[in-house]
Each structure stands twice: as C-alpha cells, then as structure tokens.
C-alpha cells in the first residue's frame, strides 16, 4: 500500500519538522545592590581589643561583611513568608507569591499586595494566617502607619515598637530587620537561639547560658553588638545569611 502523503508533499519525502513556538525566556531581574556598613572595620578593631573570643574569631572570616539588600517592605514580607518553614520551602513560596504580585521579587509594592485576593495568596502556598499578616503589613506601609522616612533618625526601640504593632512581626523579627536592613550597629537579639548557643560554646565551654549571662557578655561588645552577634552566627555557620 502506498504511503499516505501530506498534501503538497510528494510520497516518500522526508518529514518536515513543524516549528514549535518557544516561549521567550523570562527577563532576568537586575542584580540587587548590596550595602556594607561603614563602621565595620572600626567595629572589628574595637571588638578585637575588648574581647578575647572576638580577637580569635574575626580573622577567620577574612573580608566577609554584613550586607543589606532590598527595600524595607520586601524584607519584612520575606520574613513573614519564611516563618516556621524550611529555607527551601520559604524560597519556593516566596517565588510564587512574588510572581502573583508581579514586578521584581526584590522590590514588591504594598499596593500590589493589597490588590490580591485571599484565594490568590493561598494559591501561592501561603497559609490563611500568613496571607492576613502580609495584608496587615501592606496596609501599614500604604497608610503611612510606619514612618519609614524617619527611621534613620529614630532609635532602635522606637522602630521596634512600630514594627511589633504589625501582625506577624515580633521582637526577634524586628531586631533582625534592624541588623540586616537598617544595619544598626548595637543590637543584641537575646531571643535568638543561635546567639545563645554561640555564646555558650565560645564563652562557657558549652554549658547552658541564661539571658542575663548572655547580656553580660554582650555588654563588652558595645557599641558594636550587632557586629559581634554576626560573628557569633558565623562561628556556628560560616555561610552568611541574607535577609
């Protein structure tokens, strides 16, 4: 039986591949600028003179520095998305959430978050509670309830007071924001388990440490307690954390 030919093509002609439309690759986001605090080198010299553990610890990490990236709203939104789930799961949910919002994931707009309904947020992998938290965060920023332009002139406790008024943000999250986004030099996050563990290993031979004992160790680090905390974290995990 003769082979059936395609109209307009002779029998036994080699098959002609049909072009398949290929979606254009998504445009890569521009790199996010990072900022390193100007006080870092002075802080390292100060801590090395004042503290025997810091004197040994700081040189181990060479030129590594604390870096800040992104904007305030996006940084806090990421902290809410990542609560109580693994780093890998948090990144997956964040990518889906940012895609739903639209625009670069490094800089989301509060108004765009408020424009999303709950089913859309849930579809991105967010729990009902986290969806509520993100809405409350967006409303605080959109309404001006948080005084972002004044933060550089406000003290740490005043900023913490503003942030903990937002649902889903506690003192620990506010302190991480002070360290990693505003790069405040003298924050001692006593609710941070990594800090307590690092102080236990570095200063108390692994014995349990009370908050009062950790606070006493931290007093010697002033006015650069954020920097010392960063190095304590590095002593437990050499890879820096980005927020």
């Amino acid at each position: 039986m003769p082979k059936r030919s395609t109209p307009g093509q002779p029998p036994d002609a080699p098959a002609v591949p049909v072009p398949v439309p290929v979606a254009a690759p998504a445009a890569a986001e521009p790199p996010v600028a990072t900022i390193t605090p100007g006080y870092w080198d002075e802080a390292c010299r100060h801590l090395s003179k004042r503290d025997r553990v810091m004197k040994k610890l700081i040189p181990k990490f060479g030129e590594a520095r604390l870096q800040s990236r992104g904007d305030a709203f996006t940084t806090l939104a990421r902290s809410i998305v990542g609560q109580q789930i693994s780093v890998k799961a948090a990144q997956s949910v964040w990518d889906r959430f940012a895609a739903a919002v639209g625009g670069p994931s490094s800089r989301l707009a509060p108004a765009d978050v408020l424009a999303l309904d709950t089913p859309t947020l849930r579809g991105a992998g967010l729990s009902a509670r986290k969806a509520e938290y993100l809405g409350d965060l967006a409303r605080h920023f959109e309404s001006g309830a948080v005084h972002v332009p004044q933060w550089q002139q406000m003290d740490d406790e005043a900023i913490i007071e503003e942030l903990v008024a937002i649902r889903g943000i506690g003192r620990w999250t506010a302190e991480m924001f002070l360290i990693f986004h505003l790069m405040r030099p003298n924050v001692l996050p006593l609710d941070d388990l990594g800090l307590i563990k690092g102080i236990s290993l570095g200063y108390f031979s692994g014995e349990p440490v009370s908050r009062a004992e950790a606070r006493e160790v931290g007093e010697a680090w002033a006015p650069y307690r954020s920097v010392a905390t960063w190095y304590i974290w590095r002593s437990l995990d050499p890879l820096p954390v980005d927020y």
Side-chain angles (χ1 to χ4, degrees), residues 97-121:
F97 167 65
V101 175
S105 63
S106 59
R107 195 176 187 88
L108 302 184
D112 292 339
V113 173
L114 290 172
L116 299 179
D117 57 20
T118 300
T120 301
L121 293 172

Side-chain angles (χ1 to χ4, degrees), residues 123-142:
L126 293 162
S127 67
R129 179 163 293 181
K130 286 184 181 180
E132 292 174 4
Y133 290 168
L134 288 166
D136 194 47
L137 175 69
R139 281 188 290 274
H140 272 78
F141 271 76
E142 190 70 2

Side-chain angles (χ1 to χ4, degrees), residues 146-153:
V146 288
H147 301 89
V148 179
Q150 285 78 48
W151 278 349
Q152 292 300 333
Q153 288 73 47

Side-chain angles (χ1 to χ4, degrees), residues 22-188:
V22 178
E29 289 187 17
V32 180
T34 59
I35 304 170
T36 297
Y39 56 74
W40 198 266
D41 290 339
E42 171 57 30
C44 290
R45 288 191 292 269
H46 175 86
L47 292 168
S48 295
K49 290 178 181 178
R50 294 281 301 273
D51 187 284
R52 58 179 176 78
V53 173
M54 288 293 144
K55 185 176 182 179
K56 295 179 181 179
L57 191 57
I58 289 171
K60 292 182 179 181
F61 299 97
E63 295 301 312
R65 299 286 190 272
L66 170 69
Q67 293 184 328
S68 174
R69 64 184 69 206
D71 75 321
F73 174 75
T74 304
T75 298
L76 290 167
R78 286 197 76 132
S79 75
I80 290 174
V81 169
Q83 288 173 359
Q84 299 180 325
I85 57 177
S86 70
V87 173
K88 183 177 180 180
Q91 186 62 51
S92 175
V93 175
W94 176 259
D95 289 342
R96 291 157 63 189
F97 167 65
V101 175
S105 63
S106 59
R107 195 176 187 88
L108 302 184
D112 292 339
V113 173
L114 290 172
L116 299 179
D117 57 20
T118 300
T120 301
L121 293 172
R122 295 298 306 278
L126 293 162
S127 67
R129 179 163 293 181
K130 286 184 181 180
E132 292 174 4
Y133 290 168
L134 288 166
D136 194 47
L137 175 69
R139 281 188 290 274
H140 272 78
F141 271 76
E142 190 70 2
S143 68
V146 288
H147 301 89
V148 179
Q150 285 78 48
W151 278 349
Q152 292 300 333
Q153 288 73 47
M154 293 167 62
D155 64 34
D156 293 351
E157 287 301 322
I159 296 171
I160 289 173
E161 184 177 350
E162 279 202 350
L163 292 177
V164 298
I166 302 170
R167 294 181 64 196
I169 295 180
R171 185 176 181 88
W172 179 86
T173 299
E175 288 174 335
M176 295 303 103
F177 182 79
L178 288 176
I179 294 172
F180 286 95
H181 184 78
L182 295 178
M183 296 190 297
R184 293 296 175 94
N186 200 34
V187 179
L188 185 68

